[in-house]
C-alpha cells in the first residue's frame, strides 16, 4: 500500500464515516431520550435509498402504503394512550398528524412520481415519506413499553427490525437499487480526485450536526429533549411528556436515517436488508462513545469508516468481521474501568 | 362549602405485595398549607408520588373538583399540580437558567405565560449569580432554591414539597420555611412533607401524621403541636419531657 | 395443570408418536427440529429468564459446535461421541471469553456484542476455505447408539428429545443448587447478592457458559442428524429466533422455553407455506410475522404464553429429604473484642463532602447505633463500611484486618453480614431459599456438582442451617411462601435470618425499623437484644431515636457528614447539639 492508495482509502473512509456519524448521533439521541437501542435505524437508511430509487424510476414507492398503514396504527395507539384526556380537539390533532399528514404525502407522491420531478423534489419527497414513520413506530411499538427495562426494549427493537426488513422485501423486492450521484462534478486535490458526491456527503453531515446543535441549544423543545435524557422524572414533573420526547427523537432518527440513505444510494447498491449492516456500524461507533457522548460517537464513526475502507482493501471478504471486532478492545477497556458493582435502574 | 384544592380518598399504593400507603384520605383547601408528618418509611414520599401520578395508586384523587387519578404526571402538571421531589431531580448537566426555562415548559403551546425569570432571580438572588453554571455544581441549599424556583416557573396552583429541609443547615432550613410560608400567603396551596416536624407545624395550618402507611392522627397544626403523643410516638424524635416544646420556639 | 404431569404427558406423546398410524414422517422431522431448538432455548431461559441477561447470538455457539464436530469427524476420523466433549468445550471457551469481556458492563452490551459477533461468525464461516465457504461441509457420520446408526425419522426424534429431557433435568437441578440460587439471586439485585459473598460477575459467566454449552449440544446433534452443514442456520436471524421462542413461550420457566420452541418451529413451517402465496414471491416473509409477534408479546404478555397455560407457581423449594445437620455454629468472639474499627472515614462526591472524618468501633456483644437526621451521611457511612462505596480516605478494619477497597463479597468472608434499608429479597423465591442464600459462603458445591446432584449432603446442611436461623427469628411458619408475599416487617426479619445464615460475628443493619409499625419495632428490638446476648456485635443505622434509645449500648450521632457526639443513650439525649440537630433550631 503506497501513500496515494492510503490517501484514497482515507478519503473513502471519511466519506463513509460521515454517514456512520449521522447514524451514531441519532442512535445516541434515541437511546439517551428513550432508552431504546434503535436497531431499526438501518431500515430507515434502506427505506430512504430505495424510496428515492423508485421515485427516480418513476414508480410509486412501496413505503407509501407502509406510511399510510403505520399512520393508521399510530392513530389507534394514540387514541388508546390519550383516552383519559380525550376531547374533540385532541382527536382532531391526532387525526391530522396520524391520518391526514400521511394521506397528503401519499397523494403528492402518487401525483408526482410518474412525472419524474427531478432529484431535489424526489429527495424532499423521500424525506417526507420516511420521516413520519419514526414517530409512528414509536407510538405503535415502543410507547406501550415505556416502563420496560432496557433489555426488553432492545428485544422489541430487534422485533421491529425483523418486521421492517421483511416489509422492505415485500415492498421493494430482492433486487438492489442505485441512484445517480447528487453531483457529477469532481475536483482535483493533489493526487486525489474529490467527487462532488463526497463533498455533498461531508457538507450535509456538517449541516445536520450544526442544525442539531442549534436545535438543542436554542429551542425550548430541544432543551426539553436533553432534559428528558438527563433526568426523565424531572422532565415529567415539568410537564414534558416522555411520549412527546420519544416521538420527537424517533422522528429525528428517521429523518437522519432517510437522509443517510439518500446520500449512500449513489455509492453502493442498496438492498432491502443492507440497512442492518450500515446501522450496526453506526452502533459500533455509538458504543465506542459509550452510547452517551455525541462528539465521541461522531469521532469514532470516522474511525470506523477508515477501518472499514482499509479492511476492504486488505481483506475484502473479512471487512465486516474486522469492523465488528473493533469493538472488542473498546468493551475490554470499558470493562476494566467500569464502576464497582451497582444495581441498575 | 368550597371545593377543596386537592382531595384524596382511600388512596393505596403497593410495591408488589407490600402496601406502603393504605387507605389514606386527605384534603388541601385553597390557599392553605398542609403538612404530612411521619417517621422514615411511614409512606410520606410514596403518598406524594401517588398524588402526582409518579406511582400508580388505587383510590380517588380530585384536583379542583376534577378527577385526576388516571391522568399521567404531565397532564397533572398541565392542570397546575406541581411536586418538588425529595431528590430534587434537577437537570444537572444543564445551566441554572435552562433549568428555570424548562420550568415553564407547560406554557409552551398556550397563550398564557409562565413565571418570569427576573422575578425568580429577585426571589432567589443566589440563582442570578449562578445562572450560567450547571445545576450539578450547586450546593445543597442552592439546589433546593433552584428546585423551588423551577417549580414556581410553572405557576403551580398546588405545590407539593418533599422534605425541603433535607440535608440543609439550620439557617437555610429557616429560609426555605419562610419562603414556603410566603408562597402560601401569596395564595398557592401547599402540601408539605417534612421530617423536621416542629419547623413544619410552625408554618402549617393543618397536619396529618402517617404511621405504617395510614393516617393515625390529623388536626389543626396548633393542636398537633401541643399533642405530646405526636412527637413521642410517631415522629421518632427526642422524648418530649427532656426537650420541652418551648425550646424550639426559643431557638428562633 | 401441574408441570410434572404435563412433562410426563409430553414425553409419552413424543415416544408414542412414531408408532401412531398415519403420522406423516414430516411431522417427525419438524418435531426433531423443535427439540433441537428447545435445547438451545433452555439455555436462554437460564440466561434471560433467570439471570436477566440476554444473547441474540446463541446460533453462533450452535455453529461453533457443529463445525467443530464436522471437522473432527470428517477430517479427524473421530467418532461423534468423542467429538462431543471437544465441541462442548470449544463453545464454552468462546462463551467464557465473550462473557469475561462484556458481562461486567451494564446489561445491554452483551446482547449488542452478541449481534456483532454472530454476524462476524457468519462471515468467517462463509469466507473460509477450510470450512467450505457458503457451501459448508458434508459427509458427516451419523451418531451410533449401541452400534446402531441414527439416520433420521423416529430415531432422530427420540434421540433429540432424549437429549432435551437430559438438558431439562440438568437445568432443573442446576437452578435448585447452590449455584442456581446464586444465579436466581441476581434478580434481587447485584448489591444484595455480593453482600453475602456471591461473585455476581462470575455467576453471570457461569450462566452464559451453561447456555452456550446447551447450544453446543444442540449443534452437535444437528450436525450429525443433518449430516451436512452450511452457515445459514448459524446466522444472526437464527439467533434472534431462539430468543423469540423464549419470549413467546415464557423465559421465566423451563416449560415455557420448550413450548415456545415447538410453537415457533411449527408456526414458521406453516408461515413458509402460506406467506409466499399471499405475497406472490419467495422470501423470508415469516420475519414480518415474527417481528410483530415479538413486539406484541412484550407489550401484552411479557411473561410469555406458558404461564397462561400452566398455573403460575413459585418453584417449590427442594424436598426436605433426610434432615441434615445444621452447620457447626461459628465461635462467637469473646465479649468486648473489637470487631469493627472505622477511623477517619471520608467520602466526597465531586466537591461535596458527604462523610467527614467519622470514626467509631463496634465490639462483640454490643449494639452501636449510628443516628442522625435524614441526609446526615449515615447511609453513606454504612456503605463505606460494607464495601459498597469506595472510601476517599480513612480506614476500616474488621477483626484487625484492613478492608478498605475490598469488594462487598470479600468483606462478607470476614464474618460480616448485613441487611438493606430497601428490602432486597428475591420476591418470587421461597423464604427458605432466600435465607439459604445467606449461607452461600458456607457451601462449596459448584455448578457441575449441582447439576449432577452430587451436592445432596451439603444442600441438606445448608437448608438445615437456614431452617435453624428461620426458627431463631420466629418465622418458620412462612418457610415455603414466596418472599414477596410477606408483609414488610416480616421481610425485614427474613433479611436478618439470611444475614445470620452467614454465621457472622458482626451484623450490620440499615434502618431496620423503617416502615415498621409500633409493635413490629418492639419485636425487632427483642430479637436484636437476644442476638447481642449470644455475642454478636451489631451496628445499626437508624433514624428513629426512640427505637435505638432503649436498645443501643452506644450512639454515634452524625449531622452534615460529621460526628456530632458519641456516648451512652442517656448522655446523648441531654447533649444540646443533638437536641438542636434533631428538633431544629430552625423555623
Amino acid at each position: 500500500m503506497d501513500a496515494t492508495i492510503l490517501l484514497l482509502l482515507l478519503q473513502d473512509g471519511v466519506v463513509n464515516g460521515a454517514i456512520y456519524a449521522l447514524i451514531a448521533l441519532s442512535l445516541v439521541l434515541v437511546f439517551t431520550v428513550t432508552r431504546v437501542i434503535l436497531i431499526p435505524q438501518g431500515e430507515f437508511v434502506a427505506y430512504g435509498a430505495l424510496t428515492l430509487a423508485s421515485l427516480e424510476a418513476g414508480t410509486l414507492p412501496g413505503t407509501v402504503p407502509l406510511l399510510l398503514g403505520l399512520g393508521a396504527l399510530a392513530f389507534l395507539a394514540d387514541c388508546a394512550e390519550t383516552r383519559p384526556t380525550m376531547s374533540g380537539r385532541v382527536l382532531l390533532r391526532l387525526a391530522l398528524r396520524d391520518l391526514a399528514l400521511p394521506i397528503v404525502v401519499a397523494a403528492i407522491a402518487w401525483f408526482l412520481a410518474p412525472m419524474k420531478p427531478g432529484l431535489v423534489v424526489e429527495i424532499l419527497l423521500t424525506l417526507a415519506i420516511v420521516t413520519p414513520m419514526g414517530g409512528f413506530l414509536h407510538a405503535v411499538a415502543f410507547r406501550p413499553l415505556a416502563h420496560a427495562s432496557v433489555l426488553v426494549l432492545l428485544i422489541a427493537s430487534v422485533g421491529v427490525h425483523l418486521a421492517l426488513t421483511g416489509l422492505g422485501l415485500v415492498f421493494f423486492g430482492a433486487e438492489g437499487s442505485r441512484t445517480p450521484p447528487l453531483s457529477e462534478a469532481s475536483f482535483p486535490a493533489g493526487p486525489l480526485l474529490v467527487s462532488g458526491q463526497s463533498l455533498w456527503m461531508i457538507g450535509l453531515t456538517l449541516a445536520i450536526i450544526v442544525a442539531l446543535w442549534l436545535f438543542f441549544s436554542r429551542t425550548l423543545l430541544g432543551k426539553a429533549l436533553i432534559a428528558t435524557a438527563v433526568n426523565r422524572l424531572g422532565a415529567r414533573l415539568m410537564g414534558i411528556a416522555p411520549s412527546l420526547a420519544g416521538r420527537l427523537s424517533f422522528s429525528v432518527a428517521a429523518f437522519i436515517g432517510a437522509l443517510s440513505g439518500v446520500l449512500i444510494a449513489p455509492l453502493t447498491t442498496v438492498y432491502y436488508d443492507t440497512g442492518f449492516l450500515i446501522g450496526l456500524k453506526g452502533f459500533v461507533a455509538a458504543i465506542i462513545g459509550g452510547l452517551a457522548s455525541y462528539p465521541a460517537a461522531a469521532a469514532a464513526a470516522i474511525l470506523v469508516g477508515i477501518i472499514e475502507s482499509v479492511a476492504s482493501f486488505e481483506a475484502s471478504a473479512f471487512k465486516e468481521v474486522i469492523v465488528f471486532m473493533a469493538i472488542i478492545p473498546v468493551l475490554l477497556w470499558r470493562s476494566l474501568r467500569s464502576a464497582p458493582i451497582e444495581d441498575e435502574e | 362549602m368550597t371545593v377543596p384544592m386537592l382531595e384524596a380518598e382511600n388512596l393505596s399504593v403497593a410495591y408488589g405485595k407490600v402496601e406502603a400507603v393504605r387507605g389514606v384520605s386527605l384534603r388541601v383547601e385553597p390557599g392553605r398549607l398542609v403538612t404530612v408528618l411521619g417517621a422514615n418509611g411511614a409512606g410520606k414520599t410514596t403518598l406524594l408520588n401517588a398524588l402526582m401520578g409518579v406511582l400508580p395508586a388505587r383510590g380517588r384523587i380530585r384536583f379542583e373538583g376534577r378527577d385526576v387519578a388516571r391522568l399521567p404526571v404531565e397532564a397533572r402538571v398541565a392542570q397546575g399540580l406541581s411536586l418538588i421531589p425529595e431528590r430534587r431531580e434537577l437537570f444537572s448537566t444543564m445551566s441554572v437558567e435552562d433549568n428555570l426555562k424548562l420550568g415553564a415548559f407547560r406554557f409552551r403551546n398556550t397563550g398564557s405565560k409562565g413565571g418570569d425569570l427576573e422575578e425568580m432571580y429577585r426571589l432567589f438572588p443566589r440563582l442570578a449569580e449562578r445562572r450560567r453554571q450547571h445545576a450539578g455544581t450547586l450546593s445543597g441549599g442552592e439546589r433546593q432554591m433552584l428546585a423551588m424556583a423551577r417549580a414556581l416557573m410553572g405557576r403551580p396552583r398546588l405545590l407539593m414539597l418533599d422534605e425541603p429541609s433535607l440535608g440543609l443547615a439550620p439557617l437555610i432550613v429557616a429560609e426555605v420555611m419562610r419562603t414556603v410560608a410566603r408562597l402560601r400567603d401569596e395564595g398557592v396551596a401547599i402540601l408539605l412533607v417534612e421530617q423536621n416536624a416542629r419547623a413544619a407545624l410552625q408554618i402549617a395550618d393543618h397536619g396529618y401524621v402517617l404511621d405504617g402507611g395510614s393516617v393515625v392522627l390529623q388536626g389543626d397544626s396548633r393542636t398537633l403541636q401541643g399533642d405530646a403523643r405526636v412527637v413521642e410516638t410517631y415522629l421518632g424524635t427526642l422524648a418530649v419531657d427532656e426537650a420541652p416544646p418551648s425550646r424550639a420556639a426559643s431557638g428562633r | 395443570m401441574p408441570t410434572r404431569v404435563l412433562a410426563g404427558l409430553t414425553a409419552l406423546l413424543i415416544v408414542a408418536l412414531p408408532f401412531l398410524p398415519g403420522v406423516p414422517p414430516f411431522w417427525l422431522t419438524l418435531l426433531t427440529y423443535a427439540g433441537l431448538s428447545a435445547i438451545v432455548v433452555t439455555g436462554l431461559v437460564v440466561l434471560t429468564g433467570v439471570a436477566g441477561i440476554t444473547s441474540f447470538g446463541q446460533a453462533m455457539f450452535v455453529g461453533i459446535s457443529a463445525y467443530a464436530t464436522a471437522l473432527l469427524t470428517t477430517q479427524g476420523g473421530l467418532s461423534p461421541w468423542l467429538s462431543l466433549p471437544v465441541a462442548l468445550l470449544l463453545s464454552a471457551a468462546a462463551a467464557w471469553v465473550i462473557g469475561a469481556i462484556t458481562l461486567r458492563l451494564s446489561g445491554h452490551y452483551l446482547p449488542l456484542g452478541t449481534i456483532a459477533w454472530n454476524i462476524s461468525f457468519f462471515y468467517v464461516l462463509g469466507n473460509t476455505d477450510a470450512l467450505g465457504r457458503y457451501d459448508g461441509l458434508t459427509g458427516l457420520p451419523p451418531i451410533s447408539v449401541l452400534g446402531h446408526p441414527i439416520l433420521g425419522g423416529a430415531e432422530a426424534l427420540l434421540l433429540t428429545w432424549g437429549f432435551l429431557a437430559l438438558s431439562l433435568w440438568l437445568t432443573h437441578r442446576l437452578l435448585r443448587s447452590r449455584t442456581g440460587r446464586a444465579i436466581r439471586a441476581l434478580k434481587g439485585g447485584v448489591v444484595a447478592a455480593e453482600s453475602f459473598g456471591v461473585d455476581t460477575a462470575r455467576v453471570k459467566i457461569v450462566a452464559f457458559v451453561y447456555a452456550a454449552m446447551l447450544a453446543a449440544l444442540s449443534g452437535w446433534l444437528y450436525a450429525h442428524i443433518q449430516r451436512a452443514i452450511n452457515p445459514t442456520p448459524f446466522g444472526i436471524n437464527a439467533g434472534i429466533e431462539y430468543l423469540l421462542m423464549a419470549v413467546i413461550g415464557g423465559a421465566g420457566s423451563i416449560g415455557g422455553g420448550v413450548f415456545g420452541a415447538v410453537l415457533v418451529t411449527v408456526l414458521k413451517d406453516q408461515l413458509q407455506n402460506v406467506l409466499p402465496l399471499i405475497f406472490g414471491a419467495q422470501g423470508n416473509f415469516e420475519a414480518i410475522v415474527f417481528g410483530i409477534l415479538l413486539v406484541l408479546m412484550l407489550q401484552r404478555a411479557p411473561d410469555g404464553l406458558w404461564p397462561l397455560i400452566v398455573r403460575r407457581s413459585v418453584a417449590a423449594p427442594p424436598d426436605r429429604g433426610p434432615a441434615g445437620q445444621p452447620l457447626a455454629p461459628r465461635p462467637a468472639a469473646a465479649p468486648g473484642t473489637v470487631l469493627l474499627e472505622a477511623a477517619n472515614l471520608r467520602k466526597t462526591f465531586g466537591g461535596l463532602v458527604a462523610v467527614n472524618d467519622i470514626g467509631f468501633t463496634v465490639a462483640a456483644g454490643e449494639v452501636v447505633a449510628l443516628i442522625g437526621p435524614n441526609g446526615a451521611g449515615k447511609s453513606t457511612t454504612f456503605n463505606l463500611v460494607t464495601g459498597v462505596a469506595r472510601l476517599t480516605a480513612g480506614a476500616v478494619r474488621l477483626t484487625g484486618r484492613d478492608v478498605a477497597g475490598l469488594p462487598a463479597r470479600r468483606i462478607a468472608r470476614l464474618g460480616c453480614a448485613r441487611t438493606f434499608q430497601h428490602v432486597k429479597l428475591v420476591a418470587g423465591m421461597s423464604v427458605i431459599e432466600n435465607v439459604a442464600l445467606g449461607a452461600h459462603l458456607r457451601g462449596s458445591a459448584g455448578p457441575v456438582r449441582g447439576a449432577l446432584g452430587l451436592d445432596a449432603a451439603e444442600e441438606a446442611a445448608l437448608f438445615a442451617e437456614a431452617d435453624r436461623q428461620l426458627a431463631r427469628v420466629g418465622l418458620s411458619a412462612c418457610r415455603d411462601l414466596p418472599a414477596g408475599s410477606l408483609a414488610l416487617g416480616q421481610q425485614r426479619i427474613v433479611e436478618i435470618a439470611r444475614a445470620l445464615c452467614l454465621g457472622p460475628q458482626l451484623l450490620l443493619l440499615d434502618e431496620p425499623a423503617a416502615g415498621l409499625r409500633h409493635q413490629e419495632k418492639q419485636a425487632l428490638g427483642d430479637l436484636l437484644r437476644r442476638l447481642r446476648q449470644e455475642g454478636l456485635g451489631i451496628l445499626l443505622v437508624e433514624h428513629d431515636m426512640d427505637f435505638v434509645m432503649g436498645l443501643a449500648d452506644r450512639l454515634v450521632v452524625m449531622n452534615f457528614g460529621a460526628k456530632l457526639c458519641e456516648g451512652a443513650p442517656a448522655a446523648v439525649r441531654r447533649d444540646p447539639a443533638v437536641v438542636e440537630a434533631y428538633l431544629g433550631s430552625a423555623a
Side-chain angles (χ1 to χ4, degrees):
Chain A
M1 190 193 299
D2 62 24
T4 315
I5 293 179
L6 185 66
L7 267 177
L8 235 139
L9 292 176
L10 279 180
Q11 187 204 353
D12 247 27
V14 170
V15 170
N16 282 336
I19 296 298
Y20 300 148
L22 284 181
I23 292 169
L25 291 183
S26 51
L27 292 174
V28 172
L29 171 68
V30 169
F31 180 69
T32 53
V33 172
T34 65
R35 299 177 304 132
V36 172
I37 294 176
L38 193 61
I39 307 283
Q41 175 68 0
E43 275 63 68
F44 293 135
V45 178
Y47 282 6
L50 294 170
T51 302
L52 181 63
S54 54
L55 287 173
E56 278 283 317
T59 55
L60 187 69
T63 30
V64 169
L66 183 60
L67 176 69
L68 291 172
L70 276 177
L73 286 177
F75 180 70
L76 294 178
D78 283 340
C79 286
E81 171 82 7
T82 49
R83 211 175 37 199
T85 50
M86 188 48 94
S87 67
R89 258 185 63 196
V90 174
L91 195 65
L92 180 67
R93 205 184 70 220
L94 295 183
L96 280 178
R97 187 177 73 204
D98 298 342
L99 301 175
L101 172 74
I103 289 173
V104 169
V105 171
I108 295 175
W110 177 79
F111 178 71
L112 285 181
M115 300 163 65
K116 298 201 183 183
L119 197 56
V120 175
V121 176
E122 286 162 5
I123 289 176
L124 290 178
L125 205 48
T126 299
L127 296 175
I129 292 171
V130 179
T131 305
M133 289 187 192
F136 294 158
L137 271 181
H138 176 257
V140 173
F142 294 101
R143 197 179 50 205
L145 292 169
H147 300 289
S149 65
V150 173
L151 212 58
V152 168
L153 289 171
L154 174 59
I155 299 175
S157 185
V158 168
V160 172
H161 150 73
L162 272 189
L164 289 186
T165 314
L167 288 168
L169 175 62
V170 171
F171 288 124
F172 295 108
E175 281 87 52
S177 303
R178 209 166 171 150
T179 60
L182 301 176
S183 150
E184 307 276 5
S186 59
F187 312 90
L192 297 175
L193 208 58
V194 180
S195 69
Q197 173 71 21
S198 39
L199 288 180
W200 267 108
M201 291 176 79
I202 292 172
L204 274 176
T205 301
L206 290 177
I208 294 267
I209 290 175
V210 170
L212 281 179
W213 179 76
L214 285 175
F215 174 63
F216 286 132
S217 64
R218 294 290 146 86
T219 67
L220 192 62
L221 205 54
K223 285 175 183 170
L225 270 193
I226 300 188
T228 303
V230 171
N231 189 327
R232 196 174 313 272
L233 177 59
R236 295 191 75 186
L237 290 173
M238 298 304 110
I240 305 166
S243 55
L244 169 74
R247 189 173 63 237
L248 202 57
S249 58
F250 268 66
S251 301
V252 171
F255 173 80
I256 292 180
L259 187 69
S260 309
V262 166
L263 289 177
I264 54 155
L267 292 185
T268 172
T269 308
V270 177
Y271 300 87
Y272 74 97
D273 60 352
T274 304
F276 186 39
L277 280 182
I278 298 175
L280 278 180
K281 283 167 201 159
F283 262 111
V284 172
I287 288 176
I288 293 177
L291 280 171
S293 158
Y294 292 92
I302 303 292
L303 186 69
V304 168
I306 292 173
I307 292 177
E308 185 188 19
S309 83
V310 174
S312 61
F313 179 78
E314 293 286 339
S316 66
F318 291 97
K319 90 176 181 196
E320 318 288 0
V321 179
I322 292 170
V323 171
F324 289 138
M325 289 304 116
I327 61 172
I328 290 186
V330 178
L331 290 179
L332 202 57
W333 171 73
R334 286 199 171 275
S335 177
L336 289 178
R337 59 186 287 281
S338 68
I341 307 286
E342 271 168 29
D343 280 340
E344 282 169 34
E345 297 184 42
Chain B
M1 201 181 130
T2 57
V3 179
M5 198 82 199
L6 179 76
E7 189 178 20
E9 262 176 64
N10 205 12
L11 208 63
S12 296
V13 186
Y15 298 102
K17 291 257 169 66
V18 177
E19 278 208 319
V21 167
R22 326 177 192 210
V24 168
S25 299
L26 64 73
R27 47 200 286 155
V28 182
E29 303 292 342
R32 307 280 282 186
L33 200 167
V34 175
T35 182
V36 176
L37 308 169
N40 264 17
K44 306 184 300 281
T45 296
T46 307
L47 175 63
L48 284 199
N49 282 336
L51 290 172
M52 195 65 219
V54 175
L55 289 174
R58 283 180 291 113
R60 306 215 312 189
I61 307 171
R62 268 192 296 270
F63 182 64
E64 296 190 308
R66 278 183 303 249
D67 179 14
V68 296
R70 287 173 59 232
L71 295 188
V73 176
E74 312 81 54
R76 297 187 206 200
V77 172
Q79 309 230 335
L81 202 59
S82 183
L83 167 69
I84 301 177
E86 192 176 348
R87 294 158 45 105
R88 320 298 190 232
E89 312 294 354
L90 298 173
F91 307 122
S92 55
T93 56
M94 303 177 79
S95 72
V96 165
E97 187 146 321
D98 279 350
N99 268 273
L100 291 177
K101 282 181 179 163
L102 284 165
F105 185 83
R106 80 176 177 105
F107 298 106
R108 187 175 59 99
N109 284 331
T110 64
S112 43
K113 262 180 59 112
D116 181 33
L117 269 182
E118 294 312 316
E119 187 192 328
M120 290 307 143
Y121 289 144
R122 262 199 310 282
L123 214 60
F124 304 97
R126 285 301 289 264
L127 296 182
E129 293 167 30
R130 319 230 164 215
R131 62 206 295 170
R132 306 257 164 262
Q133 245 172 275
H134 279 187
T137 64
L138 300 184
S139 74
E142 290 164 348
R143 295 165 69 89
Q144 177 57 30
M145 286 174 197
L146 177 56
M148 289 179 75
R150 188 179 66 166
L152 292 178
M153 288 291 287
R155 293 204 184 283
R157 305 174 53 73
L158 172 75
L159 181 60
M160 302 192 280
L161 297 101
D162 195 353
E163 306 230 354
S165 75
L166 186 71
L168 302 188
L171 221 60
I172 301 174
V173 172
E175 198 181 326
V176 167
M177 288 299 163
R178 272 199 299 278
T179 312
V180 172
R182 196 172 64 219
L183 286 175
R184 185 259 321 267
D185 296 340
E186 287 171 9
V188 182
I190 306 235
L191 184 59
L192 171 68
V193 156
E194 248 310 331
Q195 52 142 339
N196 193 332
R198 254 158 237 274
L201 282 175
Q202 266 173 7
I203 57 169
D205 302 306
H206 196 88
Y208 292 85
V209 178
L210 285 190
D211 186 38
S214 28
V215 174
V216 289
L217 208 63
Q218 62 158 311
D220 189 55
S221 58
R222 259 176 222 293
T223 324
L224 287 182
Q225 252 174 325
D227 190 340
R229 280 193 309 150
V230 179
V231 183
E232 197 170 14
T233 313
Y234 298 111
L235 304 186
T237 62
L238 287 177
V240 171
D241 52 353
E242 302 256 342
S246 60
R247 199 194 173 281
S250 69
R252 293 189 112 172
Chain C
M1 206 186 299
T3 318
R4 196 168 287 189
V5 178
L6 213 59
L9 283 177
T10 310
L12 203 66
L13 185 70
I14 293 292
V15 172
L17 202 60
F19 304 104
L20 294 179
V23 174
F26 176 69
W27 276 36
L28 302 183
T29 313
L30 202 60
L31 277 177
T32 304
Y33 283 125
L36 288 171
S37 297
I39 296 177
V40 183
V41 176
T42 302
L44 266 181
V45 165
V46 173
L47 199 60
T48 307
V50 183
I53 40 189
T54 294
S55 158
F56 292 104
Q58 292 309 95
M60 171 166 75
F61 300 117
V62 180
I64 289 176
S65 160
Y67 271 87
T69 194
L71 285 181
L72 286 171
T73 50
T74 55
Q75 322 262 308
L78 238 56
S79 139
W81 291 110
L82 288 176
S83 69
L84 174 61
V86 182
L88 289 177
L89 282 178
L90 260 178
S91 286
W96 186 84
V97 171
I98 290 172
I101 293 175
T102 36
L103 277 172
R104 282 161 53 96
L105 298 171
S106 54
H108 44 272
Y109 283 100
L110 179 74
L112 279 179
T114 53
I115 293 179
W117 286 316
N118 206 335
I119 291 179
S120 304
F121 177 69
F122 181 79
Y123 281 114
V124 169
L125 293 183
N127 288 296
T128 305
D129 287 325
L131 301 178
R133 294 180 160 265
Y134 289 104
D135 297 328
L137 301 169
T138 50
L140 275 73
I143 298 167
S144 294
V145 178
L146 305 173
H148 176 74
I150 305 286
L151 293 167
E155 293 168 342
L157 175 71
L158 290 178
L159 182 72
T160 304
W161 282 73
F163 270 107
L164 173 61
L166 177 71
S167 312
L168 295 178
W169 183 74
L170 287 175
T171 306
H172 180 70
R173 298 214 62 112
L174 175 71
L175 288 181
R176 278 184 165 194
S177 73
R178 174 175 171 272
T179 308
R181 278 195 302 278
I183 297 176
R184 289 153 74 192
L186 294 172
K187 285 245 158 124
V190 179
V191 171
E194 290 270 326
S195 80
F196 35 78
V198 175
D199 184 343
T200 50
R202 188 179 159 273
V203 164
K204 284 181 187 171
I205 291 182
V206 167
F208 191 52
V209 167
Y210 180 74
M213 288 176 79
L214 285 185
L217 175 63
S218 173
W220 173 79
L221 273 169
Y222 172 86
H224 291 290
I225 289 174
Q226 194 80 1
R227 301 183 53 204
I229 53 174
N230 67 61
T232 314
F234 312 123
I236 184 67
N237 280 347
I240 295 173
E241 256 171 51
Y242 290 129
L243 192 64
L244 174 77
M245 293 171 181
V247 169
I248 285 188
S253 67
I254 296 174
V258 177
F259 178 68
V262 174
L263 193 67
V264 171
T265 307
V266 173
L267 186 66
K268 182 176 179 178
D269 174 66
Q270 294 300 313
L271 288 175
Q272 279 175 339
N273 292 335
V274 173
L275 290 181
L277 300 178
I278 296 176
F279 294 121
Q282 287 297 320
N284 190 22
F285 297 123
E286 69 272 12
I288 305 173
V289 178
F290 283 172
I292 294 171
L293 210 54
L294 196 51
V295 176
L296 273 180
M297 285 301 299
L298 294 173
Q299 287 181 359
R300 305 283 157 167
D303 293 331
L305 295 176
W306 189 246
L308 306 178
I309 298 167
V310 183
R311 204 167 1 92
R312 189 132 187 87
S313 61
V314 177
D319 312 322
R320 278 183 194 245
Q325 282 293 314
L327 302 168
R330 290 200 192 169
T337 321
V338 174
L339 297 172
L340 169 69
E341 201 181 345
N344 308 325
L345 301 187
R346 191 180 172 81
K347 177 72 181 178
T348 56
F349 296 104
L352 202 78
V353 183
V355 173
N356 194 358
D357 254 357
I358 294 288
F360 54 86
T361 62
V362 181
E366 76 168 343
V367 174
V368 177
L370 194 58
I371 64 166
N374 274 0
K378 304 183 300 278
S379 287
T380 312
T381 306
F382 194 84
N383 287 339
L384 291 176
V385 172
T386 47
V388 174
R390 257 177 214 168
L391 279 168
T392 308
V396 179
R397 273 182 291 277
L398 273 174
T399 55
R401 250 196 83 181
D402 186 12
V403 297
L406 285 190
R409 61 174 184 274
R410 300 282 301 281
I411 291 178
R413 279 180 190 280
L414 296 170
C416 170
R418 66 167 293 186
T419 66
F420 294 88
Q421 184 183 346
H422 302 286
V423 175
K424 290 178 191 277
L425 295 172
V426 188
M429 200 152 99
S430 66
V431 167
I432 189 69
E433 282 181 290
N434 267 292
V435 174
L437 268 171
H440 184 81
L441 284 176
R442 301 174 79 179
S444 62
V448 178
R449 265 172 73 194
L452 297 178
L454 302 174
D455 57 349
E458 182 184 294
E459 282 289 282
L462 291 186
F463 274 86
E465 175 71 11
D467 270 321
R468 191 169 75 92
Q469 299 303 350
L470 206 52
R472 196 171 173 192
V473 300
L475 275 182
S476 293
C478 304
R479 184 185 193 273
D480 297 333
L481 299 176
S485 70
L486 268 53
L488 178 64
Q490 289 174 316
Q491 294 197 12
R492 287 202 185 282
I493 306 287
V494 171
E495 278 213 329
I496 294 179
R498 181 177 68 184
L500 289 173
C501 250
L502 185 82
Q505 293 184 320
L506 181 66
L507 196 55
L508 307 176
L509 309 175
D510 194 355
E511 303 227 5
L516 297 197
R517 289 166 172 243
H518 209 59
Q519 285 168 342
E520 292 173 327
K521 284 182 193 173
Q522 284 173 346
L524 175 66
D526 292 341
L527 171 63
L528 296 183
R529 276 184 206 97
R530 277 207 312 278
L531 295 176
R532 167 174 58 190
Q533 231 162 33
E534 292 168 23
L536 252 69
I538 299 174
L539 172 71
L540 51 100
V541 163
E542 195 42 77
H543 174 76
D544 183 342
M545 276 270 242
D546 266 355
F547 177 70
V548 294
M549 278 300 170
L551 175 67
D553 299 294
R554 269 184 310 124
L555 302 183
V556 177
V557 190
M558 286 183 73
N559 202 14
F560 299 112
K563 184 151 91 176
L564 211 55
C565 76
E566 177 175 358
V572 165
R573 186 189 280 244
R574 280 191 295 273
D575 191 308
V578 175
V579 174
E580 180 141 333
Y582 254 82
L583 298 182
S585 62

